[in-house]
Amino acid sequence: LDLNMPVLDGLAALGKLKSDSKYQSIPVFILTTSTSKEQMAACKKLGCIEYYVKPVKLEDLKQIIEDILDKVA
């Protein structure tokens, strides 16, 4: 989930997902450009599994994808 989305930002979307019992069990990962400690804490408080800052290098993105797959396997 990206925090910088049009119409409904990622924090609001995460809040809606985690407040609805039908979707609470869906694991949510944040992948965004924001390095804000406040946004990271807010996402964790709302129930995201992990918060990742979008990497510049392809190898770093591959590592993030592997980490996500390990956590949902």
Side-chain angles (χ1 to χ4, degrees), residues 22-67:
K22 293 185 293 189
Y23 306 113
Q24 286 175 345
S25 64
I26 295 173
V28 178
F29 296 84
I30 304 298
L31 181 61
T32 189
T33 57
S34 175
T35 59
S36 164
K37 299 286 186 201
E38 292 82 14
Q39 285 188 325
M40 289 180 193
C43 289
K44 288 288 191 169
K45 185 175 181 180
L46 286 172
C48 81
I49 300 297
E50 194 65 63
Y51 187 107
Y52 301 97
V53 176
K54 288 182 181 177
V56 175
K57 297 178 185 176
L58 181 58
E59 285 302 314
D60 293 337
L61 179 59
K62 288 179 182 178
Q63 185 58 50
I64 289 171
I65 292 168
E66 288 176 13
D67 188 54

